[in-house]
Structure formats: structure tokens, C-alpha cells
Amino acid sequence: PSWFRAMHGPFPGLNFVATGGITPSNAKDFLDADARVVALGSALADPDALPAIATLLAASPSGRA
């Protein structure tokens, strides 16, 4: 997340996408750090992660996650 915060300063008009290592438990940290989108790969195949993904989507404005 710190990289996204750092890049937002010099590039305020760019939209960044966080990929790799994103989980339902850390996705909000990336969104809060100005990542426009997060990509959840393997978490989508984990049935135990689906409730956390649904919660994340419900809490995200416009379903950004």
C-alpha cells in the first residue's frame, strides 16, 4: 500500500491497479492507499474467502474492489 500512496503524489491523475498478493484481508489497505482497483486471483477459488470478498464488495463504493 505504501507504494500506491507514494505514486499518488507525483501522479494524481493516474489510476493504479493492485495485483499480486492481494487477499480479502489486505485489499482494503490497497484501496485506502489510492489503488483504484484490486485484483483477487486465488482468493476467488477459496470457498472460505468468499464471505470476506462479499463483505469487501459491500463496503466498497461502487463495488470498486
Side-chain angles (χ1 to χ4, degrees):
S2 61
W3 183 88
F4 291 93
R5 282 187 205 93
M7 292 298 104
H8 183 73
F11 305 107
L14 292 182
N15 293 319
F16 292 100
V17 177
T19 63
I22 309 301
T23 66
S25 62
N26 69 10
K28 186 173 180 329
D29 296 334
F30 286 91
L31 293 170
D32 290 345
D34 292 323
R36 181 71 174 144
V37 175
V38 295
L40 295 170
S42 59
L44 295 173
D46 180 1
D48 295 333
L50 295 180
I53 294 170
T55 299
L56 177 65
L57 287 170
S60 296
S62 304
R64 279 190 330 167

